[in-house]
Amino acid sequence: TKHYRITLLPGDGIGPEIITVAVSVLKRVGEQLDIQFEFKEALVGGAAIDATGNPLPDATLDTCKDSDAVLLAAIGGYKWDTLPSHQRPEQGLLGLRAGLGLFANLRPAKILPQLIDASTLKREVVEGVDIMVVRELTGGIYFGQPKGIFAGENGEKRGVNTMVYAESEVERIGRVAFDIARKRGKRLCSVDKSNVLDVSQLWRDRMTRLSEEYADVELSHLYVDNAAMQLVRYPKQFDTIVTGNLFGDILSDEAAMLTGSIGMLPSASLGASGPGVFEPVHGSAPDIAGQDKANPLAQVLSAAMMLKYGLDEPEAADRLEQAVMQVLDEGYRTGDIMSPGMKAVGCQAMGEALLAA
Amino acid sequence: TKHYRITLLPGDGIGPEIITVAVSVLKRVGEQLDIQFEFKEALVGGAAIDATGNPLPDATLDTCKDSDAVLLAAIGGYKWDTLPSHQRPEQGLLGLRAGLGLFANLRPAKILPQLIDASTLKREVVEGVDIMVVRELTGGIYFGQPKGIFAGENGEKRGVNTMVYAESEVERIGRVAFDIARKRGKRLCSVDKSNVLDVSQLWRDRMTRLSEEYADVELSHLYVDNAAMQLVRYPKQFDTIVTGNLFGDILSDEAAMLTGSIGMLPSASLGASGPGVFEPVHGSAPDIAGQDKANPLAQVLSAAMMLKYGLDEPEAADRLEQAVMQVLDEGYRTGDIMSPGMKAVGCQAMGEALLAA
Ligand SMILES: CC(C)[C@H](C(=O)O)[C@@H](O)C(=O)O
Ligand SMILES: CC(C)[C@H](C(=O)O)[C@@H](O)C(=O)O
C-alpha cells in the first residue's frame, strides 16, 4: 500500500463544497489502486483571516511543508475586498508560492469536445486546442525589489515595482517547460518583450541557449503583445508556452477563456522538491457558495494533476480524468456549463455521478 | 484656406505604398473643404538605419516637431532583426514617442459590419464591438529606471526593468481617457494589477480620485488578467479602457485581434501640445512590400484620426471614414480581407476606389 499525506486547503466561498467532492473521488481511486491518502485540513485565505487575522498562518505553511502534496480549492471574496491589500486573502496565495518555492505553474487550456459550444470562438478555431502554459511563479515583477510607493521629487508619490530575472531562474523554469514540451507536441513557444525590456533579452538569450540541450524540441519566440493576438487568431498553433510571472498571469487566463469553460480548468504549481499545490483556475464564487451549485470538476481535475505531477501516480490520474469525461458524456452539467438537453445537477450530485463513473 | 504642415514617415516594407494612398485622399478632401496640406517626408526605422545608421535621425525628429501632425506608415522588417536591439527600427518608434512626449495612445478596436466574418469569434459575440483603448505611452516599464543587465551575486547575470508611475502621469492619461469616455459611452474601465503591484495601487487610487471630477462617467476597475479574459468572454461590455504602457500594449493588440482584421485599424499618439503621430496598427509586411498588394485602409483611417484628433477637422475626418465604408460596401477588398464574391483589388486600385468614393 502506498501512502500519501495530503494537505487540504478548502479556503473560501465554494471551496469547501468542491474539495469534498475531490476527496471522495480520491478515496475511491485509492481503494481501487491500493493507495492510501491521509488528509489534513488547514486554513488559508479569508477563512484564515477570520480565524487568525493572517491569510497564511505559520501552522498552515508548516502543515503544507510536512505533506506530499497540497490540494487547494479557492481563495477570496467580497467580504475581504476592503482590507488593505497586504492583508487580503490573495496574499495567502502569494505567500504559499514563495514559502513552498513553487516556481513552476502549469496551466493547461484544453478544449473539451463536450463543451466546445461554450467557447465564444468559432468551433473550427478552437476544436482540438490543447495548450500548456508554463508560467514562472516566484520571480519577476511579483517579487522584485525595490517595490513600494515612494515620495518622488516635488513631493509627488511614485509607485514602483521591479521586474527582474536572474539567469538561473530562467534556466530553471525553462527546463521544466522543455521537459513538458518533450512529452507533448515537442514545440515550445517562449513569450517575452525583448524588443523593449532588458529583462526579456536575458530571458530570450537564456532560453535560446538552453534549447541546445533539447534538440528534439522546437523553440520559438513571440513578443507578449503578439502572443495575446495569436491566441485569439489561431490558438491551435500553440503546444507549450513558457513565460514569466506577469505575462503568464495574463496569457494563461486569456488561453483559459478561449475554452469558454474556466469552471473546468485545473492548475499545478511545482517547486524543485517538496510538495506542489494543485488548484482550480476559477475563483471562490462567493455568490453561489453553500448552495450546492458549484462545479467540482476543475477541483477533481486538479486532484488528477496532483496524482500525475505531484505523486507520480499516472494511472490514478487517468482514472479521475476518465471519470470527468464520462460524466460529461453522460450529460451531467452544473449550472455554469449547462446547455439545452443536458442533465442539470448540483455539486453533490455531480460528485455521485463521478463516483459511479 | 486653412494650412497644415504634415510630416510623412513612410518607414519600411509596405509603408511607402500605403502612405501614397493616404496622401492622395488627404489632397482630395483638402480640395473639397478648402484645406491645404504641406507634406514633408522624413526617414525613420529601417529606412533611416540604412541611410544614416540611426533609426530616428535628429533631422527627422526636428521635422516632426516643426509640423502640425505626423503621419507614420510602418516600421521594421527581417532585414534589421539581427541588429543589436538598441539599434533596431523599433527604437525609432520609442524615440519618437519620447521625443514628442506622446503620452496618450488611442487604439480603437471597432468591428466593421462588412468584415465581421473575419473575426475568429462568433458573430453574436463581436457584433457591435466598439472599444477604445487609451494606453499610457511614455512611462511605466518601457522607460523606468533602473534598467539593464547587471552582474548579480555569484557573477550571475540579472535582467532588470522598473515599472514606475508618478501620480501626475496617471492623472494626465486619466484625463485624456475620461474626456474620451465622456464623448463615447460614458463608461471607463481602468485596468491594473493592484492586487500584486504597488505601482498599480497608486494607479487605481489616482484614477478613483480623478473620477470625482467626472461624475458623468462611470469608472470601473479590472485586474489585467481578468481584462484579458473578459475581452474574449464578452467584449461588448467595454466602452473605453485606460491602462499603463505594458498592459496597454498587450490588451490593445488582443482587442484589435477580436475584430479579425487588424489590417483595418488605425491609432493615434498624442502629447500635451505639439504634433501627434498617426499610424496603422499593422506592421510593415515586408513579404508583400512593393507588390501593390497592401491594404491602405488602416493608413487612410489613421489619416482620419489625424484630422479628428490632431488637426480638429472632424468634417474632413468623417469624409475619409465614409469613403472607407463606401469602398467596403461596394465590395472592394485587398488580399488580407478578401472573401468570396468580393472584388479583389491591389493597393493602388483601392486608392482609386477611395478617390471615387
Ligand atoms: C490572485 C492573484 C494574486 C493571482 C496572481 O496574479 O498570480 C491570480 O491571478 C493567479 O493567476 O493565480
Ligand atoms: C514595436 C514595439 C516597441 C511597440 C510597443 O511595444 O509599444 C509596438 O508593439 C506597439 O504597440 O506600438
Side-chain angles (χ1 to χ4, degrees), chain A residues 90 93-94 97 135 142 249, chain B residues 193 195-196 225:
Chain A
E90 296 95 311
L93 202 55
L94 296 175
R97 293 173 186 170
R135 167 188 177 195
Y142 273 60
D249 181 47
Chain B
K193 185 75 193 176
N195 52 346
V196 175
D225 48 333

mmCIF file with all atom_site columns, all heavy atoms in Angstrom, chain A residues 90 93-94 97 135 142 249, chain B residues 193 195-196 225, ligand 1:
data_model
loop_
_atom_site.group_PDB
_atom_site.id
_atom_site.type_symbol
_atom_site.label_atom_id
_atom_site.label_alt_id
_atom_site.label_comp_id
_atom_site.label_asym_id
_atom_site.label_entity_id
_atom_site.label_seq_id
_atom_site.pdbx_PDB_ins_code
_atom_site.Cartn_x
_atom_site.Cartn_y
_atom_site.Cartn_z
_atom_site.occupancy
_atom_site.B_iso_or_equiv
_atom_site.pdbx_formal_charge
_atom_site.auth_seq_id
_atom_site.auth_comp_id
_atom_site.auth_asym_id
_atom_site.auth_atom_id
_atom_site.pdbx_PDB_model_num
ATOM   1   N N   . GLU A 1 90  ? -5.587 37.018 -1.129  1.00 0.00 ? 90  GLU A N   1
ATOM   2   C CA  . GLU A 1 90  ? -4.618 36.686 -2.177  1.00 0.00 ? 90  GLU A CA  1
ATOM   3   C C   . GLU A 1 90  ? -3.202 36.604 -1.652  1.00 0.00 ? 90  GLU A C   1
ATOM   4   O O   . GLU A 1 90  ? -2.355 35.907 -2.211  1.00 0.00 ? 90  GLU A O   1
ATOM   5   C CB  . GLU A 1 90  ? -4.618 37.739 -3.296  1.00 0.00 ? 90  GLU A CB  1
ATOM   6   C CG  . GLU A 1 90  ? -5.898 37.864 -4.074  1.00 0.00 ? 90  GLU A CG  1
ATOM   7   C CD  . GLU A 1 90  ? -6.793 38.957 -3.523  1.00 0.00 ? 90  GLU A CD  1
ATOM   8   O OE1 . GLU A 1 90  ? -7.013 38.968 -2.287  1.00 0.00 ? 90  GLU A OE1 1
ATOM   9   O OE2 . GLU A 1 90  ? -7.266 39.778 -4.314  1.00 0.00 ? 90  GLU A OE2 1
ATOM   10  N N   . LEU A 1 93  ? -2.077 33.235 -0.991  1.00 0.00 ? 93  LEU A N   1
ATOM   11  C CA  . LEU A 1 93  ? -1.651 32.503 -2.188  1.00 0.00 ? 93  LEU A CA  1
ATOM   12  C C   . LEU A 1 93  ? -0.208 32.844 -2.538  1.00 0.00 ? 93  LEU A C   1
ATOM   13  O O   . LEU A 1 93  ? 0.617  31.960 -2.804  1.00 0.00 ? 93  LEU A O   1
ATOM   14  C CB  . LEU A 1 93  ? -2.581 32.919 -3.332  1.00 0.00 ? 93  LEU A CB  1
ATOM   15  C CG  . LEU A 1 93  ? -2.726 32.000 -4.519  1.00 0.00 ? 93  LEU A CG  1
ATOM   16  C CD1 . LEU A 1 93  ? -3.150 30.610 -4.075  1.00 0.00 ? 93  LEU A CD1 1
ATOM   17  C CD2 . LEU A 1 93  ? -3.778 32.586 -5.473  1.00 0.00 ? 93  LEU A CD2 1
ATOM   18  N N   . LEU A 1 94  ? 0.092  34.148 -2.550  1.00 0.00 ? 94  LEU A N   1
ATOM   19  C CA  . LEU A 1 94  ? 1.457  34.562 -2.889  1.00 0.00 ? 94  LEU A CA  1
ATOM   20  C C   . LEU A 1 94  ? 2.444  34.027 -1.852  1.00 0.00 ? 94  LEU A C   1
ATOM   21  O O   . LEU A 1 94  ? 3.546  33.587 -2.187  1.00 0.00 ? 94  LEU A O   1
ATOM   22  C CB  . LEU A 1 94  ? 1.541  36.094 -2.983  1.00 0.00 ? 94  LEU A CB  1
ATOM   23  C CG  . LEU A 1 94  ? 0.695  36.726 -4.091  1.00 0.00 ? 94  LEU A CG  1
ATOM   24  C CD1 . LEU A 1 94  ? 0.756  38.250 -4.023  1.00 0.00 ? 94  LEU A CD1 1
ATOM   25  C CD2 . LEU A 1 94  ? 1.148  36.256 -5.467  1.00 0.00 ? 94  LEU A CD2 1
ATOM   26  N N   . ARG A 1 97  ? 3.119  30.351 -2.482  1.00 0.00 ? 97  ARG A N   1
ATOM   27  C CA  . ARG A 1 97  ? 4.042  30.160 -3.603  1.00 0.00 ? 97  ARG A CA  1
ATOM   28  C C   . ARG A 1 97  ? 5.478  30.410 -3.171  1.00 0.00 ? 97  ARG A C   1
ATOM   29  O O   . ARG A 1 97  ? 6.378  29.619 -3.473  1.00 0.00 ? 97  ARG A O   1
ATOM   30  C CB  . ARG A 1 97  ? 3.670  31.106 -4.749  1.00 0.00 ? 97  ARG A CB  1
ATOM   31  C CG  . ARG A 1 97  ? 2.347  30.777 -5.396  1.00 0.00 ? 97  ARG A CG  1
ATOM   32  C CD  . ARG A 1 97  ? 1.932  31.845 -6.406  1.00 0.00 ? 97  ARG A CD  1
ATOM   33  N NE  . ARG A 1 97  ? 0.588  31.585 -6.909  1.00 0.00 ? 97  ARG A NE  1
ATOM   34  C CZ  . ARG A 1 97  ? -0.117 32.435 -7.654  1.00 0.00 ? 97  ARG A CZ  1
ATOM   35  N NH1 . ARG A 1 97  ? 0.403  33.612 -7.990  1.00 0.00 ? 97  ARG A NH1 1
ATOM   36  N NH2 . ARG A 1 97  ? -1.326 32.111 -8.057  1.00 0.00 ? 97  ARG A NH2 1
ATOM   37  N N   . ARG A 1 135 ? 4.142  28.919 -16.510 1.00 0.00 ? 135 ARG A N   1
ATOM   38  C CA  . ARG A 1 135 ? 4.363  30.272 -16.012 1.00 0.00 ? 135 ARG A CA  1
ATOM   39  C C   . ARG A 1 135 ? 5.360  30.244 -14.850 1.00 0.00 ? 135 ARG A C   1
ATOM   40  O O   . ARG A 1 135 ? 5.186  29.460 -13.919 1.00 0.00 ? 135 ARG A O   1
ATOM   41  C CB  . ARG A 1 135 ? 3.016  30.815 -15.534 1.00 0.00 ? 135 ARG A CB  1
ATOM   42  C CG  . ARG A 1 135 ? 3.074  32.075 -14.703 1.00 0.00 ? 135 ARG A CG  1
ATOM   43  C CD  . ARG A 1 135 ? 1.686  32.409 -14.127 1.00 0.00 ? 135 ARG A CD  1
ATOM   44  N NE  . ARG A 1 135 ? 1.737  33.575 -13.263 1.00 0.00 ? 135 ARG A NE  1
ATOM   45  C CZ  . ARG A 1 135 ? 0.780  33.937 -12.412 1.00 0.00 ? 135 ARG A CZ  1
ATOM   46  N NH1 . ARG A 1 135 ? -0.319 33.215 -12.312 1.00 0.00 ? 135 ARG A NH1 1
ATOM   47  N NH2 . ARG A 1 135 ? 0.914  35.009 -11.674 1.00 0.00 ? 135 ARG A NH2 1
ATOM   48  N N   . TYR A 1 142 ? 6.432  40.199 -9.640  1.00 0.00 ? 142 TYR A N   1
ATOM   49  C CA  . TYR A 1 142 ? 5.624  39.879 -8.461  1.00 0.00 ? 142 TYR A CA  1
ATOM   50  C C   . TYR A 1 142 ? 6.420  40.007 -7.175  1.00 0.00 ? 142 TYR A C   1
ATOM   51  O O   . TYR A 1 142 ? 5.854  40.284 -6.115  1.00 0.00 ? 142 TYR A O   1
ATOM   52  C CB  . TYR A 1 142 ? 5.076  38.451 -8.544  1.00 0.00 ? 142 TYR A CB  1
ATOM   53  C CG  . TYR A 1 142 ? 3.777  38.338 -9.285  1.00 0.00 ? 142 TYR A CG  1
ATOM   54  C CD1 . TYR A 1 142 ? 3.679  38.731 -10.608 1.00 0.00 ? 142 TYR A CD1 1
ATOM   55  C CD2 . TYR A 1 142 ? 2.639  37.840 -8.673  1.00 0.00 ? 142 TYR A CD2 1
ATOM   56  C CE1 . TYR A 1 142 ? 2.486  38.623 -11.297 1.00 0.00 ? 142 TYR A CE1 1
ATOM   57  C CE2 . TYR A 1 142 ? 1.437  37.726 -9.354  1.00 0.00 ? 142 TYR A CE2 1
ATOM   58  C CZ  . TYR A 1 142 ? 1.372  38.117 -10.661 1.00 0.00 ? 142 TYR A CZ  1
ATOM   59  O OH  . TYR A 1 142 ? 0.190  38.017 -11.333 1.00 0.00 ? 142 TYR A OH  1
ATOM   60  N N   . ASP A 1 249 ? 0.528  35.264 -16.057 1.00 0.00 ? 249 ASP A N   1
ATOM   61  C CA  . ASP A 1 249 ? -0.743 35.563 -15.405 1.00 0.00 ? 249 ASP A CA  1
ATOM   62  C C   . ASP A 1 249 ? -1.782 35.964 -16.457 1.00 0.00 ? 249 ASP A C   1
ATOM   63  O O   . ASP A 1 249 ? -2.908 35.452 -16.479 1.00 0.00 ? 249 ASP A O   1
ATOM   64  C CB  . ASP A 1 249 ? -0.538 36.703 -14.406 1.00 0.00 ? 249 ASP A CB  1
ATOM   65  C CG  . ASP A 1 249 ? -1.802 37.080 -13.658 1.00 0.00 ? 249 ASP A CG  1
ATOM   66  O OD1 . ASP A 1 249 ? -2.496 36.170 -13.176 1.00 0.00 ? 249 ASP A OD1 1
ATOM   67  O OD2 . ASP A 1 249 ? -2.095 38.287 -13.558 1.00 0.00 ? 249 ASP A OD2 1
ATOM   68  N N   . LYS B 1 193 ? -3.007 45.895 -11.984 1.00 0.00 ? 193 LYS B N   1
ATOM   69  C CA  . LYS B 1 193 ? -2.756 44.644 -11.253 1.00 0.00 ? 193 LYS B CA  1
ATOM   70  C C   . LYS B 1 193 ? -2.513 45.019 -9.800  1.00 0.00 ? 193 LYS B C   1
ATOM   71  O O   . LYS B 1 193 ? -1.489 44.691 -9.194  1.00 0.00 ? 193 LYS B O   1
ATOM   72  C CB  . LYS B 1 193 ? -1.569 43.909 -11.882 1.00 0.00 ? 193 LYS B CB  1
ATOM   73  C CG  . LYS B 1 193 ? -1.287 42.542 -11.298 1.00 0.00 ? 193 LYS B CG  1
ATOM   74  C CD  . LYS B 1 193 ? -2.262 41.451 -11.731 1.00 0.00 ? 193 LYS B CD  1
ATOM   75  C CE  . LYS B 1 193 ? -2.101 40.209 -10.870 1.00 0.00 ? 193 LYS B CE  1
ATOM   76  N NZ  . LYS B 1 193 ? -3.082 39.153 -11.175 1.00 0.00 ? 193 LYS B NZ  1
ATOM   77  N N   . ASN B 1 195 ? -3.776 44.074 -7.074  1.00 0.00 ? 195 ASN B N   1
ATOM   78  C CA  . ASN B 1 195 ? -3.711 43.040 -6.026  1.00 0.00 ? 195 ASN B CA  1
ATOM   79  C C   . ASN B 1 195 ? -2.287 42.510 -5.846  1.00 0.00 ? 195 ASN B C   1
ATOM   80  O O   . ASN B 1 195 ? -2.019 41.768 -4.912  1.00 0.00 ? 195 ASN B O   1
ATOM   81  C CB  . ASN B 1 195 ? -4.694 41.886 -6.287  1.00 0.00 ? 195 ASN B CB  1
ATOM   82  C CG  . ASN B 1 195 ? -4.565 41.291 -7.676  1.00 0.00 ? 195 ASN B CG  1
ATOM   83  O OD1 . ASN B 1 195 ? -3.930 41.870 -8.549  1.00 0.00 ? 195 ASN B OD1 1
ATOM   84  N ND2 . ASN B 1 195 ? -5.180 40.142 -7.879  1.00 0.00 ? 195 ASN B ND2 1
ATOM   85  N N   . VAL B 1 196 ? -1.388 42.922 -6.728  1.00 0.00 ? 196 VAL B N   1
ATOM   86  C CA  . VAL B 1 196 ? 0.006  42.470 -6.608  1.00 0.00 ? 196 VAL B CA  1
ATOM   87  C C   . VAL B 1 196 ? 0.991  43.635 -6.659  1.00 0.00 ? 196 VAL B C   1
ATOM   88  O O   . VAL B 1 196 ? 1.973  43.650 -5.924  1.00 0.00 ? 196 VAL B O   1
ATOM   89  C CB  . VAL B 1 196 ? 0.344  41.447 -7.720  1.00 0.00 ? 196 VAL B CB  1
ATOM   90  C CG1 . VAL B 1 196 ? 1.812  41.075 -7.689  1.00 0.00 ? 196 VAL B CG1 1
ATOM   91  C CG2 . VAL B 1 196 ? -0.529 40.183 -7.590  1.00 0.00 ? 196 VAL B CG2 1
ATOM   92  N N   . ASP B 1 225 ? -5.287 40.408 -15.754 1.00 0.00 ? 225 ASP B N   1
ATOM   93  C CA  . ASP B 1 225 ? -5.563 39.024 -16.162 1.00 0.00 ? 225 ASP B CA  1
ATOM   94  C C   . ASP B 1 225 ? -7.048 38.836 -16.435 1.00 0.00 ? 225 ASP B C   1
ATOM   95  O O   . ASP B 1 225 ? -7.437 38.222 -17.439 1.00 0.00 ? 225 ASP B O   1
ATOM   96  C CB  . ASP B 1 225 ? -5.033 38.011 -15.125 1.00 0.00 ? 225 ASP B CB  1
ATOM   97  C CG  . ASP B 1 225 ? -5.427 38.348 -13.692 1.00 0.00 ? 225 ASP B CG  1
ATOM   98  O OD1 . ASP B 1 225 ? -5.648 39.534 -13.374 1.00 0.00 ? 225 ASP B OD1 1
ATOM   99  O OD2 . ASP B 1 225 ? -5.522 37.424 -12.858 1.00 0.00 ? 225 ASP B OD2 1
HETATM 100 C C1  . LIG C 2 .   ? -4.840 36.348 -7.069  1.00 0.00 ? 1   LIG C C1  1
HETATM 101 C C2  . LIG C 2 .   ? -3.590 36.765 -7.798  1.00 0.00 ? 1   LIG C C2  1
HETATM 102 C C3  . LIG C 2 .   ? -2.552 37.248 -6.837  1.00 0.00 ? 1   LIG C C3  1
HETATM 103 C C4  . LIG C 2 .   ? -3.067 35.642 -8.684  1.00 0.00 ? 1   LIG C C4  1
HETATM 104 C C5  . LIG C 2 .   ? -1.861 36.101 -9.499  1.00 0.00 ? 1   LIG C C5  1
HETATM 105 O O1  . LIG C 2 .   ? -1.832 37.206 -10.051 1.00 0.00 ? 1   LIG C O1  1
HETATM 106 O O2  . LIG C 2 .   ? -0.924 35.303 -9.615  1.00 0.00 ? 1   LIG C O2  1
HETATM 107 C C6  . LIG C 2 .   ? -4.062 35.056 -9.676  1.00 0.00 ? 1   LIG C C6  1
HETATM 108 O O3  . LIG C 2 .   ? -4.429 35.965 -10.646 1.00 0.00 ? 1   LIG C O3  1
HETATM 109 C C7  . LIG C 2 .   ? -3.478 33.825 -10.315 1.00 0.00 ? 1   LIG C C7  1
HETATM 110 O O4  . LIG C 2 .   ? -3.189 33.836 -11.527 1.00 0.00 ? 1   LIG C O4  1
HETATM 111 O O5  . LIG C 2 .   ? -3.278 32.833 -9.611  1.00 0.00 ? 1   LIG C O5  1
#
